[in-house]
Amino acid sequence: MNQVIRAVIVDDEPLARQGLRIRLNSFPHIDVVAEAGSGREAVELIVNEKPDLVFLDIQMPGLSGFDVLRLIREKADQMPAVVFVTAYDHYAIRAFEVRALDYLLKPVDEERLAVAMERISGELRTERGTEYQQRLVQLVADITGGDVEEILQQLAEGKSPTIDHYPEHIAIKDSGEITRVAINSIEWIDAAGDYMCIHAANQTHILRRTMKELEQELNPRMFQRIHRSAIVNLAQVEKLCSRQNGEYHLILQNGQELKVSRSYKDRIKQLVLGN
């Protein structure tokens, strides 16, 4: 009989917490003892409850999942095992650095969850040694497309794994639902106040992020700023047009016309014209 594992779910989305709890009902040896809807609430809860396992969202208002773990290390006698449950696959390396047992992408797939639960149950019954490290390195490699031996070599040299990887999808949260938009389907992005408008496949998705944050997550060989409030997918550019007043405009494959500001004009000309 499996030993009961006391677990806590941390996520700022109530529907996400509810969905994961329902899926975990299929695993009788997992006892969800509490939930937290914010990072600060999670820290106190974990310190007091001392769970064996924490299912932890990464991107939350206020304290991120990584901030939560840092504070728990300072306050708790013993760290719980951690499974990150997040919509953003580019956090894999950081997940490795804090020794997460596993890494689940939203929306959580039931078969993937079953695999994770089997691994977790085994790991919590044994010491986390070389075998555990190898499994986690493989997990990072699977997510990022990196080479296992390269990651292990970086660790042996005391370095953090540095893999040039950009996400293949971007997650859009809206009214408790998460839509995963393929990066290569994005045509252009523009700012609307505190929100980003992601234009992809004839649809517009609203994302609450800053332009700077979004730009850092996109492959610069594929996406470039053309204005302080606009980013374009270079693969979607049909032509570059100059106007009599000296302004430049990009025409995308879907017919959309976008103005290029003067500060980005030379860079865009070089990338589009290849000179």
Side-chain angles (χ1 to χ4, degrees):
M1 181 175 179
N2 288 326
Q3 180 180 357
V4 173
I5 297 172
R6 300 174 67 255
V8 167
I9 298 174
V10 181
D11 198 304
D12 65 303
E13 294 282 345
L15 289 179
R17 297 197 304 270
Q18 181 184 16
L20 181 56
R21 181 184 277 271
I22 290 172
R23 285 174 172 78
L24 289 172
N25 285 338
S26 301
F27 305 91
H29 62 293
I30 303 293
D31 179 19
V32 179
V33 296
E35 298 179 8
S38 71
R40 296 195 182 279
E41 182 185 356
V43 172
E44 298 304 318
L45 183 63
I46 293 167
V47 170
N48 293 330
E49 289 288 341
K50 297 180 173 58
D52 305 304
L53 175 65
V54 177
F55 293 91
L56 182 61
D57 190 15
I58 294 179
Q59 187 155 359
M60 297 182 290
L63 296 179
S64 71
F66 298 120
D67 293 329
V68 169
L69 293 186
R70 175 177 52 79
L71 291 174
I72 292 172
R73 281 174 173 163
E74 296 174 358
K75 296 184 177 184
D77 298 330
Q78 183 175 351
M79 284 291 294
V82 178
V83 173
F84 283 126
V85 186
T86 181
Y88 302 93
D89 61 1
H90 59 279
Y91 288 111
I93 295 298
R94 292 287 303 280
F96 173 83
E97 290 173 348
V98 298
R99 300 298 190 266
L101 268 181
D102 212 330
Y103 190 95
L104 302 174
L105 287 177
K106 297 177 182 178
V108 177
D109 178 78
E110 291 187 6
E111 292 185 6
R112 179 68 182 84
L113 179 61
V115 171
M117 290 301 95
E118 182 177 356
R119 174 183 295 137
I120 289 162
S121 298
E123 294 294 347
L124 290 179
R125 288 195 299 264
T126 61
E127 287 189 277
R128 300 176 202 168
T130 303
E131 182 181 358
Y132 164 65
Q133 186 188 65
Q134 179 67 41
R135 288 182 183 180
L136 194 50
V137 169
Q138 184 63 60
L139 171 68
V140 174
D142 289 345
I143 294 173
T144 65
D147 180 74
V148 171
E149 294 302 321
E150 180 182 344
I151 296 172
L152 285 172
Q153 180 62 37
Q154 289 171 338
L155 291 170
E157 295 172 357
K159 302 176 182 177
S160 295
T162 53
I163 297 175
D164 182 18
H165 170 75
Y166 295 92
E168 296 180 357
H169 295 81
I170 189 168
I172 313 291
K173 289 185 179 182
D174 182 26
S175 302
E177 296 184 351
I178 297 174
T179 302
R180 300 188 73 211
V181 177
I183 292 294
N184 60 11
S185 73
I186 296 175
E187 297 151 349
W188 88 100
I189 301 166
D190 59 350
D194 295 332
Y195 296 87
M196 296 295 106
C197 296
I198 312 294
H199 304 277
N202 297 318
Q203 292 185 316
T204 299
H205 305 275
I206 306 301
L207 178 66
R208 192 178 179 86
R209 303 288 296 281
T210 68
M211 183 67 76
K212 182 178 180 180
E213 288 174 341
L214 200 54
E215 186 178 22
Q216 290 174 345
E217 295 172 10
L218 297 172
N219 189 337
R221 293 188 294 271
M222 186 175 182
F223 291 90
Q224 283 287 323
R225 285 281 279 274
I226 61 170
H227 193 274
R228 65 181 181 85
S229 59
I231 296 174
V232 72
N233 183 346
L234 295 173
Q236 296 288 332
V237 175
E238 183 74 26
K239 62 179 73 172
L240 175 65
C241 302
S242 61
R243 304 290 189 234
Q244 290 184 348
N245 60 3
E247 290 184 349
Y248 280 81
H249 290 249
L250 292 176
I251 309 296
L252 305 188
Q253 293 176 2
N254 64 1
Q256 178 69 37
E257 183 172 335
L258 302 173
K259 180 181 176 180
V260 180
S261 72
R262 292 183 179 180
S263 56
Y264 293 97
K265 180 182 67 175
D266 292 341
R267 174 65 174 162
I268 294 301
K269 284 176 61 179
Q270 181 182 24
L271 290 169
V272 174
L273 302 177
N275 53 34

